[in-house]
């Protein structure tokens, strides 16, 4: 997934200054951003009031959109550095291509995980023959220093661990671990991403890690998270210090649980790049626009997406932690 903003705003992220060491309720609403010809997304991270949740640094929620007579998602080839992309669908399909030669259709409840390392480019599109509805989320995970210069990779996992407890909750572990179950997806920091399906009448408490910070993204329906109503398309930041999360739903609902150890490294995010300095971003931008790096995405019917002009103000991370 790309950040298609024509004038992308740089974001400084990471560090522990903004992490709440205690449980909180911080409700975040999404900013509408167009994505291609017929799709718009609700951008929850980075948000004016919240930059990261653990290593999760970018969250888009889209749909459900009726694309029966539309092209659906059409994201041209574009580059990434310093991150992993996580594709997650509730309805529809997304065709992934990348500069490694990967060609994969990602379907509902399947994990599409791309690790950029030092650099990769990819495209995403609805197949020509596609389902009527498109509904999902696209997320980025920031890579730590030890992993961000490694080689790129793509993984597709159709079989993920599923936890079924009493009380009407079904949890699919997308990334990291939850309550003893671990996703096969490669991770580089302590993290969790899980899809939570709540049946009507659910009233349960989900076990959590006290040292993780958490947020929940509401995908569908209406649910109470620790007593707070959370509507579809919004996200509730929960802070750290929790060992359990009460969940209640009067009708069927869907959530994504995002969490992890607070990410201590300082980051600069701009367009589709996660780096440590403005100089790194400027270099990646130049290499992509001139075609001197990243390689070629073969098979996409259209032009690649060029990086916009960088802001005049130098991109710098926030001051270092003491």
């Amino acid at each position: 997934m790309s950040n298609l903003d024509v004038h992308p705003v740089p974001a400084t992220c990471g560090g522990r200054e903004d992490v709440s060491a205690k449980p909180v309720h911080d409700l975040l609403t999404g900013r509408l951003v167009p994505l291609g010809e017929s799709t718009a997304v609700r951008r929850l991270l980075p948000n004016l009031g919240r930059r990261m949740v653990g290593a999760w640094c970018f969250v888009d929620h889209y749909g459900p959109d009726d694309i029966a007579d539309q092209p659906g998602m059409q994201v041209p080839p574009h580059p990434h550095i310093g991150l992993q992309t996580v594709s997650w669908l509730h309805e529809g399909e997304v065709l992934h291509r990348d500069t490694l030669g990967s060609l994969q259709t990602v379907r509902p409840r399947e994990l599409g995980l791309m690790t950029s390392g030092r650099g990769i480019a990819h495209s995403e599109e609805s197949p020509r023959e596609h389902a009527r509805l498109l509904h999902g989320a696209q997320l980025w995970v920031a890579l730590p220093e030890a992993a961000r210069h490694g080689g790129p990779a793509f993984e597709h996992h159709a079989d993920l661990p599923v936890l079924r407890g009493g009380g009407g909750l079904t949890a699919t572990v997308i990334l990291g671990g939850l309550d003893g179950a671990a996703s096969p997806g490669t991770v580089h920091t302590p993290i969790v991403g899980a899809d939570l399906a709540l049946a009507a009448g659910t009233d349960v408490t989900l076990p959590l890690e006290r040292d993780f910070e958490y947020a929940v993204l509401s995908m569908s329906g209406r649910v109470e998270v620790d007593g707070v109503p959370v509507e579809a398309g919004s996200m509730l930041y929960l802070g750290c210090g929790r060992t359990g999360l009460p969940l209640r739903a009067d009708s069927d609902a869907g959530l994504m649980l995002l969490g992890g150890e607070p990410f201590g490294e300082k980051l600069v995010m701009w367009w589709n790049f996660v780096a440590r300095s403005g100089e790194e971003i400027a270099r990646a931008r130049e290499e992509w626009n001139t075609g001197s790096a990243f390689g070629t995405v073969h098979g996409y019917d259209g032009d690649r997406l060029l990086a916009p002009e960088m802001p005049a103000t130098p991109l710098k991370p926030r001051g270092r932690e003491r």
Side-chain angles (χ1 to χ4, degrees):
M1 185 73 72
S2 171
N3 180 358
L4 297 186
D5 281 357
V6 178
H7 303 290
V9 177
T12 56
C13 308
R16 294 183 169 88
E17 296 93 334
D18 297 333
V19 176
S20 175
K22 298 180 179 180
V24 296
H25 297 136
D26 186 4
L27 190 61
L28 307 175
T29 57
R31 175 173 63 92
L32 282 178
V33 177
L35 186 71
E37 298 177 22
S38 57
T39 304
V41 301
R42 288 167 287 278
R43 184 148 299 159
L44 284 308
L45 285 182
N47 191 293
L48 184 61
R50 178 64 43 195
R51 299 297 188 185
M52 297 181 72
V53 178
W56 301 97
C57 61
F58 183 96
V59 176
D60 276 352
H61 171 248
Y62 54 90
D65 295 324
D66 188 337
I67 59 169
D69 300 317
Q70 303 291 333
M73 183 181 294
Q74 298 293 322
V75 181
H78 59 279
H80 289 290
I81 62 170
L83 57 86
Q84 293 177 293
T85 65
V86 175
S87 299
W88 188 252
L89 289 166
H90 276 194
E91 295 178 280
E93 311 89 21
V94 172
L95 178 62
H96 167 97
R97 306 175 193 265
D98 62 39
T99 47
L100 298 173
S102 307
L103 177 63
Q104 179 66 54
T105 300
V106 180
R107 296 179 173 86
R109 270 73 180 191
E110 298 178 353
L111 171 62
L113 177 65
M114 186 180 75
T115 302
S116 71
R118 59 182 173 267
I120 195 171
H122 71 140
S123 64
E124 291 171 298
E125 58 188 309
S126 297
R128 185 166 298 177
E129 299 295 327
H130 55 257
R132 181 182 188 89
L133 296 179
L134 179 64
H135 182 205
Q138 182 74 22
L139 313 97
W140 297 355
V141 178
L143 290 172
E145 183 66 29
R148 71 188 188 99
H149 298 294
F154 178 75
E155 304 171 36
H156 174 247
H157 299 286
D159 296 318
L160 297 168
V162 177
L163 301 172
R164 292 183 174 87
L169 173 66
T170 301
T172 302
V173 185
I174 303 168
L175 209 60
L178 178 67
D179 197 23
S183 164
T186 301
V187 296
H188 299 276
T189 55
I191 197 172
V192 63
D195 184 88
L196 309 179
L198 286 74
T202 295
D203 190 354
V204 297
T205 297
L206 183 70
L208 301 181
E209 299 286 340
R210 183 184 294 275
D211 294 335
F212 280 18
E213 62 174 337
Y214 289 97
V216 290
L217 166 65
S218 179
M219 297 285 288
S220 61
R222 184 179 183 275
V223 64
E224 287 187 7
V225 179
D226 197 20
V228 178
V230 184
E231 303 287 346
S234 59
M235 186 164 72
L236 183 68
Y237 175 70
L238 296 161
C240 299
R242 296 175 182 270
T243 57
L245 183 63
L247 300 171
R248 184 176 181 278
D250 292 329
S251 60
D252 292 352
L255 298 172
M256 290 187 73
L257 174 74
L258 307 175
E261 285 188 0
F263 196 86
E265 298 178 31
K266 305 293 183 174
L267 308 177
V268 178
M269 289 177 55
W270 180 82
W271 198 49
N272 295 294
F273 304 134
V274 174
R276 300 303 188 272
S277 69
E279 291 77 13
E280 287 182 12
I281 288 177
R283 181 167 59 251
R285 176 191 177 277
E286 179 70 13
E287 289 174 344
W288 170 252
N289 279 359
T290 61
S292 61
F294 292 98
T296 302
V297 178
H298 294 286
Y300 182 82
D301 185 15
D303 296 330
R304 65 194 187 118
L305 187 68
L306 293 180
E309 292 296 324
M310 292 186 64
T313 304
L315 305 182
K316 295 181 180 180
R318 293 178 293 186
R320 296 192 179 276
E321 289 184 80
R322 297 176 180 176

